[in-house]
Amino acid sequence: MKVLVTGGAGFIGSHVADALLADGHVVHVLDNLANGYREQVPAGVPLHVLDVCDPGVRDLFAVHRFEALVHLAAQIDVRRSVADPAFDARVNVLGLLNLLEAGRIAGLQRVVFSSSGGALYGEPVHVPQGESHPERPQSPYGVSKLVSERYLAYYADVHGLLTVSLRYANVYGPRQTPEGDAGVIAVFIEKMRAGLPVTIFGDGRQTRDYVYVGDVVQANRLALRHPESDAFNIGTGIETSVLALYRALATILGVEPGYTPAAARKGEVARSVLDTRRATDLMGWRPETGLDRGLARTIDWFKSRAAEPPLR
C-alpha cells in the first residue's frame, strides 16, 4: 500500500513510518519540521517539507495518489490551545480538512487518525473510559479532536472513505524530546538526569494512562488493515498519578532531586484512564509494555541521545 505519514519526522510518526516501511508499504512522510527531525525519517523514504494547511498538499496527492493516510501531524499542546484556540483549530481541523479534500480528489481509500482519549472525554463520569463515554472536552485541543472525528465520519458516510480513529492515552517512549510540546515523562527524565527539581502542577494526584510508543505503533499497523470505519481507545487501563510517576522515575534513575509545586493548569483533566477492550476484541490489539519496562527503555534512549550530536 502507498501510505503518507504526516508528522512522520516526529516522535510517534517516525516510529510508525519505520514500522510501515518494514511491513513492505511504500511510505512517504509529510512534516513541516517544526517539531520533527530529518534524521528520524527512515532512510530512502521521501520527506515532503510541507505544513498540513499548505495548498501544495493537493498537488502532492495528485502526483503520488496515496492509498492510505496515517495522520499524526498536530498541534498537541493543551496549554497553547487554551491560549490560542484559533491556531489549534487551524492546524488540527483545517489541516485535516485540507488533507481529506486532497485525498478525496486523488482517490484516497483509508485514513488512520491520531485522536485523544483523555482530551476527548474530559473528566470521567466513570472509569475506565470506554468509547461510549460522554465526549466532554475541556480544552480547545480536545474540541479539535472531537470535531475532527465528526469530519472523518462525514467523509466515511458520504464519500466512502474508510476511517479509523485511535484515541490515545498519554504516549511516551524513545524520540519524545523534552522540547516543544513534550509529554511529562520526557520533561521529567531530562530534568532529573540533570539533578534538577521537576515542576508538578496541582496536587500531583491527577492521573494519566501512560502507553508505550511501541504499542501505539502496533495499533497503527492493525488500524491500517482494519476492514471498517471505527474508533478505538489505545491505552493500558492503568491509572498512574504524577507523584507516582515521579517516584518510579526516581527509583529507576537512582536520583531524587525533588519537585516544585505549581498551580493547576486550565484545560487539563484531573483523571484519565482508558478502557481498551474494544481494540482487543475487534483489532486484536493489546498493550504489551508495562510502565517500568517502558520507562527503562525511554531512559536508555535519553542516555544514548546525550552521547550523540543534536538532531536537526
Short mmCIF file of all heavy atoms in Angstrom, two decimals, residues 228-280:
data_model
loop_
_atom_site.label_atom_id
_atom_site.label_comp_id
_atom_site.label_asym_id
_atom_site.label_seq_id
_atom_site.Cartn_x
_atom_site.Cartn_y
_atom_site.Cartn_z
N GLU A 228 -13.28 -1.88 8.69
CA GLU A 228 -14.42 -0.99 8.86
C GLU A 228 -13.99 0.33 9.49
O GLU A 228 -12.97 0.40 10.18
CB GLU A 228 -15.50 -1.63 9.75
CG GLU A 228 -16.07 -2.92 9.19
CD GLU A 228 -17.08 -3.55 10.14
OE1 GLU A 228 -17.20 -3.04 11.28
OE2 GLU A 228 -17.74 -4.52 9.75
N SER A 229 -14.80 1.37 9.28
CA SER A 229 -14.57 2.64 9.97
C SER A 229 -14.94 2.47 11.44
O SER A 229 -15.97 1.87 11.76
CB SER A 229 -15.40 3.75 9.34
OG SER A 229 -14.95 4.05 8.04
N ASP A 230 -14.12 3.01 12.32
CA ASP A 230 -14.36 2.81 13.75
C ASP A 230 -13.47 3.75 14.55
O ASP A 230 -12.66 4.49 13.99
CB ASP A 230 -14.08 1.36 14.14
CG ASP A 230 -15.00 0.86 15.24
OD1 ASP A 230 -15.42 1.68 16.09
OD2 ASP A 230 -15.30 -0.35 15.26
N ALA A 231 -13.64 3.71 15.87
CA ALA A 231 -12.78 4.47 16.78
C ALA A 231 -12.40 3.55 17.93
O ALA A 231 -13.25 2.82 18.46
CB ALA A 231 -13.49 5.71 17.30
N PHE A 232 -11.12 3.59 18.34
CA PHE A 232 -10.63 2.71 19.38
C PHE A 232 -9.79 3.47 20.40
O PHE A 232 -8.96 4.30 20.02
CB PHE A 232 -9.76 1.59 18.79
CG PHE A 232 -10.48 0.68 17.84
CD1 PHE A 232 -10.29 0.80 16.47
CD2 PHE A 232 -11.36 -0.28 18.31
CE1 PHE A 232 -10.94 -0.03 15.59
CE2 PHE A 232 -12.03 -1.13 17.43
CZ PHE A 232 -11.82 -1.00 16.06
N ASN A 233 -9.99 3.16 21.67
CA ASN A 233 -9.09 3.64 22.71
C ASN A 233 -7.78 2.86 22.65
O ASN A 233 -7.79 1.63 22.51
CB ASN A 233 -9.70 3.43 24.10
CG ASN A 233 -10.82 4.40 24.40
OD1 ASN A 233 -10.94 5.45 23.77
ND2 ASN A 233 -11.64 4.07 25.38
N ILE A 234 -6.67 3.58 22.80
CA ILE A 234 -5.35 2.95 22.82
C ILE A 234 -4.65 3.41 24.10
O ILE A 234 -4.14 4.53 24.18
CB ILE A 234 -4.53 3.32 21.58
CG1 ILE A 234 -5.27 2.92 20.29
CG2 ILE A 234 -3.16 2.68 21.64
CD1 ILE A 234 -5.55 1.43 20.16
N GLY A 235 -4.66 2.57 25.10
CA GLY A 235 -4.05 2.87 26.39
C GLY A 235 -3.74 1.59 27.12
O GLY A 235 -3.57 0.53 26.49
N THR A 236 -3.67 1.65 28.44
CA THR A 236 -3.36 0.45 29.22
C THR A 236 -4.45 0.09 30.23
O THR A 236 -4.45 -1.02 30.76
CB THR A 236 -2.05 0.64 30.02
OG1 THR A 236 -2.24 1.65 31.01
CG2 THR A 236 -0.91 1.06 29.08
N GLY A 237 -5.36 1.03 30.52
CA GLY A 237 -6.36 0.79 31.54
C GLY A 237 -5.82 0.92 32.95
O GLY A 237 -6.49 0.54 33.92
N ILE A 238 -4.61 1.46 33.08
CA ILE A 238 -3.98 1.60 34.40
C ILE A 238 -3.75 3.08 34.68
O ILE A 238 -3.14 3.79 33.88
CB ILE A 238 -2.64 0.84 34.46
CG1 ILE A 238 -2.87 -0.64 34.22
CG2 ILE A 238 -1.95 1.08 35.80
CD1 ILE A 238 -1.58 -1.44 34.05
N GLU A 239 -4.23 3.55 35.83
CA GLU A 239 -4.03 4.94 36.23
C GLU A 239 -2.71 5.09 36.99
O GLU A 239 -2.39 4.28 37.85
CB GLU A 239 -5.15 5.40 37.16
CG GLU A 239 -6.46 5.69 36.49
CD GLU A 239 -7.47 6.22 37.50
OE1 GLU A 239 -8.18 5.39 38.11
OE2 GLU A 239 -7.56 7.45 37.67
N THR A 240 -1.99 6.14 36.68
CA THR A 240 -0.76 6.47 37.41
C THR A 240 -0.79 7.95 37.73
O THR A 240 -0.95 8.78 36.83
CB THR A 240 0.49 6.15 36.57
OG1 THR A 240 0.48 4.76 36.20
CG2 THR A 240 1.76 6.45 37.36
N SER A 241 -0.62 8.30 38.99
CA SER A 241 -0.60 9.71 39.35
C SER A 241 0.74 10.32 38.98
O SER A 241 1.74 9.62 38.80
CB SER A 241 -0.85 9.89 40.85
OG SER A 241 0.28 9.48 41.60
N VAL A 242 0.77 11.65 38.90
CA VAL A 242 2.02 12.33 38.59
C VAL A 242 3.05 12.08 39.68
O VAL A 242 4.24 11.88 39.41
CB VAL A 242 1.78 13.84 38.38
CG1 VAL A 242 3.10 14.57 38.16
CG2 VAL A 242 0.84 14.07 37.21
N LEU A 243 2.62 12.06 40.93
CA LEU A 243 3.54 11.78 42.03
C LEU A 243 4.10 10.37 41.93
O LEU A 243 5.29 10.14 42.17
CB LEU A 243 2.85 11.99 43.37
CG LEU A 243 2.61 13.44 43.79
CD1 LEU A 243 1.74 13.50 45.04
CD2 LEU A 243 3.94 14.16 44.03
N ALA A 244 3.24 9.40 41.59
CA ALA A 244 3.72 8.02 41.45
C ALA A 244 4.69 7.91 40.28
O ALA A 244 5.68 7.16 40.35
CB ALA A 244 2.54 7.08 41.26
N LEU A 245 4.42 8.64 39.20
CA LEU A 245 5.33 8.64 38.07
C LEU A 245 6.69 9.20 38.47
O LEU A 245 7.74 8.63 38.13
CB LEU A 245 4.74 9.47 36.94
CG LEU A 245 5.63 9.67 35.71
CD1 LEU A 245 5.85 8.35 34.99
CD2 LEU A 245 5.01 10.70 34.77
N TYR A 246 6.69 10.29 39.20
CA TYR A 246 7.93 10.89 39.69
C TYR A 246 8.73 9.89 40.52
O TYR A 246 9.93 9.72 40.34
CB TYR A 246 7.62 12.14 40.50
CG TYR A 246 8.81 12.65 41.29
CD1 TYR A 246 9.82 13.37 40.66
CD2 TYR A 246 8.93 12.38 42.66
CE1 TYR A 246 10.93 13.82 41.37
CE2 TYR A 246 10.03 12.83 43.37
CZ TYR A 246 11.03 13.54 42.74
OH TYR A 246 12.12 13.98 43.44
N ARG A 247 8.04 9.19 41.42
CA ARG A 247 8.74 8.21 42.27
C ARG A 247 9.29 7.05 41.46
O ARG A 247 10.39 6.55 41.73
CB ARG A 247 7.79 7.72 43.37
CG ARG A 247 7.48 8.78 44.42
CD ARG A 247 6.79 8.17 45.62
NE ARG A 247 5.43 7.77 45.31
CZ ARG A 247 4.35 8.55 45.51
NH1 ARG A 247 4.50 9.77 46.01
NH2 ARG A 247 3.15 8.12 45.21
N ALA A 248 8.53 6.59 40.45
CA ALA A 248 9.01 5.49 39.61
C ALA A 248 10.27 5.89 38.85
O ALA A 248 11.24 5.13 38.76
CB ALA A 248 7.92 5.07 38.63
N LEU A 249 10.28 7.10 38.31
CA LEU A 249 11.46 7.57 37.60
C LEU A 249 12.65 7.74 38.54
O LEU A 249 13.79 7.42 38.19
CB LEU A 249 11.16 8.89 36.89
CG LEU A 249 10.27 8.79 35.64
CD1 LEU A 249 9.83 10.17 35.19
CD2 LEU A 249 11.00 8.07 34.52
N ALA A 250 12.39 8.25 39.73
CA ALA A 250 13.46 8.44 40.71
C ALA A 250 14.11 7.10 41.07
O ALA A 250 15.34 6.99 41.20
CB ALA A 250 12.91 9.12 41.96
N THR A 251 13.28 6.07 41.18
CA THR A 251 13.79 4.74 41.51
C THR A 251 14.67 4.20 40.39
O THR A 251 15.78 3.69 40.63
CB THR A 251 12.63 3.78 41.78
OG1 THR A 251 11.88 4.24 42.90
CG2 THR A 251 13.14 2.37 42.05
N ILE A 252 14.20 4.30 39.14
CA ILE A 252 14.96 3.77 38.01
C ILE A 252 16.25 4.55 37.80
O ILE A 252 17.32 3.98 37.53
CB ILE A 252 14.10 3.78 36.73
CG1 ILE A 252 12.88 2.87 36.90
CG2 ILE A 252 14.92 3.33 35.53
CD1 ILE A 252 11.86 3.00 35.79
N LEU A 253 16.17 5.88 37.94
CA LEU A 253 17.35 6.72 37.72
C LEU A 253 18.31 6.71 38.90
O LEU A 253 19.49 7.06 38.76
CB LEU A 253 16.91 8.17 37.44
CG LEU A 253 16.29 8.43 36.07
CD1 LEU A 253 15.57 9.78 36.07
CD2 LEU A 253 17.37 8.41 34.99
N GLY A 254 17.80 6.33 40.08
CA GLY A 254 18.65 6.35 41.27
C GLY A 254 18.92 7.75 41.78
O GLY A 254 19.93 7.98 42.46
N VAL A 255 18.03 8.69 41.47
CA VAL A 255 18.16 10.07 41.95
C VAL A 255 16.79 10.54 42.43
O VAL A 255 15.77 10.02 42.02
CB VAL A 255 18.68 11.02 40.85
CG1 VAL A 255 20.04 10.59 40.34
CG2 VAL A 255 17.69 11.10 39.69
N GLU A 256 16.80 11.54 43.28
CA GLU A 256 15.54 12.14 43.70
C GLU A 256 15.77 13.62 43.98
O GLU A 256 15.95 14.05 45.12
CB GLU A 256 14.97 11.44 44.93
CG GLU A 256 13.54 11.87 45.21
CD GLU A 256 12.80 10.88 46.12
OE1 GLU A 256 13.35 9.81 46.43
OE2 GLU A 256 11.67 11.22 46.49
N PRO A 257 15.76 14.45 42.92
CA PRO A 257 16.09 15.87 43.08
C PRO A 257 14.97 16.71 43.67
O PRO A 257 15.14 17.89 43.94
CB PRO A 257 16.38 16.30 41.65
CG PRO A 257 15.57 15.38 40.80
CD PRO A 257 15.57 14.08 41.52
N GLY A 258 13.79 16.09 43.89
CA GLY A 258 12.67 16.82 44.45
C GLY A 258 11.83 17.48 43.38
O GLY A 258 12.12 17.41 42.19
N TYR A 259 10.74 18.13 43.83
CA TYR A 259 9.86 18.77 42.86
C TYR A 259 9.33 20.08 43.43
O TYR A 259 9.30 20.30 44.64
CB TYR A 259 8.70 17.85 42.47
CG TYR A 259 7.79 17.44 43.59
CD1 TYR A 259 6.69 18.24 43.95
CD2 TYR A 259 8.00 16.25 44.29
CE1 TYR A 259 5.84 17.86 44.98
CE2 TYR A 259 7.15 15.88 45.32
CZ TYR A 259 6.07 16.67 45.66
OH TYR A 259 5.24 16.29 46.67
N THR A 260 8.92 20.95 42.52
CA THR A 260 8.38 22.25 42.87
C THR A 260 6.89 22.26 42.55
O THR A 260 6.51 22.01 41.39
CB THR A 260 9.08 23.36 42.06
OG1 THR A 260 10.48 23.31 42.31
CG2 THR A 260 8.53 24.73 42.44
N PRO A 261 6.02 22.53 43.52
CA PRO A 261 4.59 22.58 43.23
C PRO A 261 4.21 23.86 42.48
O PRO A 261 4.85 24.90 42.65
CB PRO A 261 3.94 22.54 44.61
CG PRO A 261 4.98 23.09 45.53
CD PRO A 261 6.31 22.73 44.95
N ALA A 262 3.20 23.76 41.63
CA ALA A 262 2.70 24.93 40.89
C ALA A 262 1.20 24.80 40.75
O ALA A 262 0.62 23.73 40.95
CB ALA A 262 3.37 25.01 39.52
N ALA A 263 0.55 25.88 40.41
CA ALA A 263 -0.90 25.89 40.28
C ALA A 263 -1.34 24.96 39.15
O ALA A 263 -0.64 24.78 38.15
CB ALA A 263 -1.39 27.31 39.99
N ALA A 264 -2.51 24.36 39.34
CA ALA A 264 -3.08 23.50 38.30
C ALA A 264 -3.29 24.30 37.02
O ALA A 264 -3.54 25.51 37.05
CB ALA A 264 -4.40 22.91 38.78
N ARG A 265 -3.19 23.62 35.87
CA ARG A 265 -3.28 24.29 34.58
C ARG A 265 -4.70 24.19 34.00
O ARG A 265 -5.33 23.13 34.06
CB ARG A 265 -2.26 23.71 33.61
CG ARG A 265 -0.84 23.92 34.10
CD ARG A 265 0.19 23.42 33.11
NE ARG A 265 0.22 21.97 33.01
CZ ARG A 265 1.20 21.28 32.42
NH1 ARG A 265 2.22 21.93 31.88
NH2 ARG A 265 1.17 19.97 32.37
N LYS A 266 -5.17 25.27 33.43
CA LYS A 266 -6.51 25.29 32.83
C LYS A 266 -6.57 24.36 31.64
O LYS A 266 -5.63 24.24 30.87
CB LYS A 266 -6.85 26.71 32.39
CG LYS A 266 -7.06 27.69 33.52
CD LYS A 266 -7.45 29.06 32.98
CE LYS A 266 -7.68 30.04 34.13
NZ LYS A 266 -8.07 31.40 33.63
N GLY A 267 -7.72 23.70 31.51
CA GLY A 267 -7.95 22.85 30.35
C GLY A 267 -7.47 21.43 30.50
O GLY A 267 -7.68 20.62 29.59
N GLU A 268 -6.83 21.09 31.61
CA GLU A 268 -6.32 19.74 31.80
C GLU A 268 -7.20 18.97 32.79
O GLU A 268 -7.54 19.49 33.85
CB GLU A 268 -4.87 19.77 32.27
CG GLU A 268 -3.93 20.38 31.23
CD GLU A 268 -2.48 20.13 31.55
OE1 GLU A 268 -2.18 19.67 32.67
OE2 GLU A 268 -1.64 20.40 30.67
N VAL A 269 -7.55 17.75 32.42
CA VAL A 269 -8.42 16.94 33.28
C VAL A 269 -7.64 16.41 34.47
O VAL A 269 -6.41 16.26 34.42
CB VAL A 269 -9.06 15.78 32.50
CG1 VAL A 269 -9.91 16.32 31.35
CG2 VAL A 269 -8.01 14.82 31.97
N ALA A 270 -8.35 16.11 35.54
CA ALA A 270 -7.71 15.62 36.76
C ALA A 270 -7.49 14.11 36.73
O ALA A 270 -6.61 13.59 37.41
CB ALA A 270 -8.54 16.00 37.98
N ARG A 271 -8.30 13.41 35.92
CA ARG A 271 -8.22 11.94 35.93
C ARG A 271 -8.50 11.41 34.53
O ARG A 271 -9.43 11.87 33.86
CB ARG A 271 -9.26 11.39 36.92
CG ARG A 271 -9.10 9.93 37.24
CD ARG A 271 -10.14 9.49 38.25
NE ARG A 271 -9.97 8.09 38.62
CZ ARG A 271 -10.87 7.36 39.26
NH1 ARG A 271 -12.03 7.91 39.62
NH2 ARG A 271 -10.61 6.10 39.54
N SER A 272 -7.70 10.47 34.08
CA SER A 272 -7.90 9.89 32.75
C SER A 272 -7.35 8.48 32.71
O SER A 272 -6.18 8.25 33.03
CB SER A 272 -7.20 10.76 31.69
OG SER A 272 -7.34 10.17 30.41
N VAL A 273 -8.19 7.53 32.33
CA VAL A 273 -7.76 6.15 32.14
C VAL A 273 -8.72 5.49 31.15
O VAL A 273 -9.94 5.67 31.25
CB VAL A 273 -7.70 5.37 33.47
CG1 VAL A 273 -9.04 5.35 34.18
CG2 VAL A 273 -7.17 3.96 33.25
N LEU A 274 -8.19 4.76 30.18
CA LEU A 274 -8.99 4.28 29.06
C LEU A 274 -9.26 2.78 29.13
O LEU A 274 -8.40 1.99 29.50
CB LEU A 274 -8.27 4.59 27.74
CG LEU A 274 -7.94 6.06 27.48
CD1 LEU A 274 -7.29 6.20 26.11
CD2 LEU A 274 -9.17 6.94 27.59
N ASP A 275 -10.47 2.43 28.72
CA ASP A 275 -10.88 1.04 28.56
C ASP A 275 -10.55 0.64 27.12
O ASP A 275 -11.06 1.22 26.17
CB ASP A 275 -12.38 0.92 28.81
CG ASP A 275 -12.88 -0.51 28.75
OD1 ASP A 275 -12.20 -1.37 28.16
OD2 ASP A 275 -13.98 -0.77 29.29
N THR A 276 -9.69 -0.34 26.94
CA THR A 276 -9.22 -0.71 25.60
C THR A 276 -9.74 -2.06 25.12
O THR A 276 -9.22 -2.64 24.18
CB THR A 276 -7.68 -0.73 25.57
OG1 THR A 276 -7.20 -1.74 26.46
CG2 THR A 276 -7.11 0.62 25.98
N ARG A 277 -10.81 -2.55 25.73
CA ARG A 277 -11.30 -3.89 25.38
C ARG A 277 -11.80 -3.98 23.94
O ARG A 277 -11.64 -5.03 23.29
CB ARG A 277 -12.39 -4.31 26.35
CG ARG A 277 -11.86 -4.67 27.74
CD ARG A 277 -12.98 -5.01 28.70
NE ARG A 277 -13.79 -3.83 29.01
CZ ARG A 277 -14.83 -3.85 29.83
NH1 ARG A 277 -15.19 -4.98 30.41
NH2 ARG A 277 -15.52 -2.74 30.07
N ARG A 278 -12.37 -2.90 23.40
CA ARG A 278 -12.85 -2.95 22.01
C ARG A 278 -11.68 -3.13 21.05
O ARG A 278 -11.79 -3.86 20.06
CB ARG A 278 -13.63 -1.69 21.65
CG ARG A 278 -15.01 -1.62 22.24
CD ARG A 278 -15.86 -0.51 21.64
NE ARG A 278 -16.37 -0.88 20.34
CZ ARG A 278 -15.93 -0.40 19.17
NH1 ARG A 278 -14.93 0.48 19.16
NH2 ARG A 278 -16.46 -0.77 18.03
N ALA A 279 -10.57 -2.46 21.32
CA ALA A 279 -9.40 -2.62 20.45
C ALA A 279 -8.89 -4.05 20.49
O ALA A 279 -8.43 -4.59 19.47
CB ALA A 279 -8.30 -1.65 20.87
N THR A 280 -8.97 -4.67 21.66
CA THR A 280 -8.56 -6.07 21.78
C THR A 280 -9.53 -6.99 21.04
O THR A 280 -9.13 -7.86 20.27
CB THR A 280 -8.48 -6.48 23.26
OG1 THR A 280 -7.52 -5.68 23.93
CG2 THR A 280 -8.08 -7.95 23.39
#
